[in-house]
Amino acid sequence: MTTFFQTVPGALILLVIGFVFLIKGADFFVEGASAVAKKLHVPALVIGMTIVAMGTSLPELSVSVTASIAGSNQLAIGNVVGSNIFNLMVVLGSCALFSALEVSDDTIKKDLPFSIICTVALMVMGLIGNSVGHIDGAILLVLFILFLSSMLRAAKKSRTTAAAIAEEDNEIVDIPTWLCIIYIIGGAVAIKYGGDWVVDSCTTLALKFGMSETLVGLTIVALGTSLPELVTSIVAAKKNELDMAIGNVVGSNIFNILLILGVAGAISPMRFLTVNAIDTLILVVFSVIVGLMCLKKKNLNKANGIVMLLLYAVYLGYIILRDGV
């Protein structure tokens, strides 16, 4: 059966199945998460930056930790930084094409700046000694615990206000708690396996049609580990859960650096190469650009989305030329 899925017809079938799992999994995941947010009177932004962000970061966690255990730990940094750039520019840019994303003051003043601080901290750690080692990993994990604690405090603080608003909202669909749990867990599992199957099938097809393994790694694998964020955020935007779409991306980027690289660094020191420093700097620049877009009009509109996608296309062209593919 495995051999069949390594053929062109088998890979095409697996690709379709993978996309179905991704799309339906994201649909159920967002539905369950938004229902939990309303039941607990927690803002969708907080749910997006915690439960949804953690769920959609599973592929990055799997790839990076596996790479670290296998000794290919420089792949962990490249995977996280590449995925964060994709999340920021392609995921948010694509969502902005579907619907203007209103950006809250907290996101502009706290969450986006904190994600930039995390990225800069990673770059400083990496440049000192050209590696991210055990101590660096421990520091990142401590920062992750502090970040998660602050999000939980924010959720607790906002429950009273949200509860008052919810009492006046007659449009809330009451989904049983057990069904919410099934939606969230089932959706996360479907997203995980759907992403794996899409990556595997695309890699098979690419290699069959003559693409190099380097190009496959730079494009398909990076896309594949970020597919959950892309699909989940677009589904959230189409369901008008705009705060959840933004929270998912910003939260995932913070999770990727603090949790994933923290765990990977704690397992085994990661080499920090010159290309990692350049890509990390590009992530900082892109983050500042998106922050300025948000600051200007307190939203991301279709024009912003087009600019973000074009900037990513330029970056993609750059890394392909840089690696001599």
Side-chain angles (χ1 to χ4, degrees):
M1 184 62 73
T2 303
T3 306
F4 171 71
F5 285 123
Q6 291 173 349
T7 65
V8 172
L12 288 172
I13 292 172
L14 192 62
L15 180 64
V16 172
I17 295 173
F19 272 121
V20 170
F21 269 65
L22 264 178
I23 294 167
K24 295 308 296 180
D27 199 8
F28 282 120
F29 195 93
V30 171
E31 195 76 30
S34 59
V36 167
K38 290 169 183 175
K39 280 178 177 293
L40 299 178
H41 308 306
V42 176
L45 177 63
V46 175
I47 293 292
M49 291 192 67
T50 52
I51 297 174
V52 177
M54 187 175 290
T56 55
S57 290
L58 284 174
E60 286 91 346
L61 180 61
S62 175
V63 170
S64 297
V65 171
T66 301
S68 186
I69 292 172
S72 302
N73 30 34
Q74 66 270 23
L75 177 64
I77 294 177
N79 174 48
V80 164
V81 174
S83 293
N84 280 12
I85 292 174
F86 185 90
N87 289 346
L88 188 69
M89 307 307 285
V90 178
V91 174
L92 276 187
S94 300
C95 289
L97 294 182
F98 283 93
S99 177
L101 301 175
E102 298 296 327
V103 185
S104 69
D105 287 336
D106 278 349
T107 299
I108 296 172
K109 295 177 181 178
K110 296 179 183 178
D111 304 327
L112 269 174
F114 184 67
S115 71
I116 294 173
I117 290 171
C118 292
T119 308
V120 172
L122 171 65
M123 186 162 61
V124 172
M125 287 177 179
L127 290 173
I128 299 174
N130 296 320
S131 70
V132 177
H134 297 302
I135 295 176
D136 299 322
I139 292 172
L140 291 175
L141 288 174
V142 169
L143 288 174
F144 170 73
I145 292 170
L146 293 175
F147 166 71
L148 197 58
S149 298
S150 71
M151 292 305 301
L152 293 174
R153 284 197 301 272
K156 186 176 180 181
K157 185 177 179 180
S158 64
R159 284 184 67 177
T160 305
T161 304
I165 296 172
E167 287 178 2
E168 300 175 3
D169 190 352
N170 296 322
E171 295 182 1
I172 294 178
V173 178
D174 187 22
I175 300 176
T177 303
W178 64 268
L179 190 55
C180 291
I181 294 172
I182 290 176
Y183 276 8
I184 291 173
I185 295 176
V189 171
I191 288 169
K192 195 274 179 191
Y193 283 103
D196 286 347
W197 293 337
V198 168
V199 172
D200 291 345
S201 58
C202 284
T203 301
T204 298
L205 289 171
L207 294 176
K208 290 288 184 184
F209 288 108
M211 290 176 65
S212 70
E213 289 189 18
T214 302
L215 183 56
V216 170
L218 287 170
T219 54
I220 295 171
V221 175
L223 165 65
T225 56
S226 292
L227 273 176
E229 284 90 347
L230 177 61
V231 178
T232 301
S233 293
I234 290 176
V235 170
K238 291 179 73 174
K239 287 177 175 287
N240 209 33
E241 295 285 353
L242 303 179
D243 277 350
M244 189 175 291
I246 295 173
N248 174 35
V249 168
V250 177
S252 288
N253 281 8
I254 294 172
F255 274 45
N256 287 348
I257 291 176
L258 298 185
L259 176 61
I260 295 173
L261 291 185
V263 171
I267 293 172
S268 176
M270 298 173 287
R271 291 177 60 201
F272 194 82
L273 307 176
T274 302
V275 290
N276 297 136
I278 294 171
D279 290 338
T280 306
L281 180 61
I282 289 172
L283 175 57
V284 172
V285 172
F286 281 171
S287 298
V288 171
I289 290 172
V290 172
L292 292 174
M293 288 178 176
C294 295
L295 187 62
K296 187 176 182 181
K297 294 184 179 179
K298 300 290 180 71
N299 70 14
L300 291 173
N301 55 34
K302 186 175 290 188
N304 297 142
I306 292 172
V307 170
M308 291 162 73
L309 292 172
L310 287 175
L311 285 173
Y312 183 79
V314 172
Y315 167 73
L316 188 61
Y318 158 70
I319 59 173
I320 291 173
L321 291 174
R322 180 183 71 188
D323 285 83
V325 179

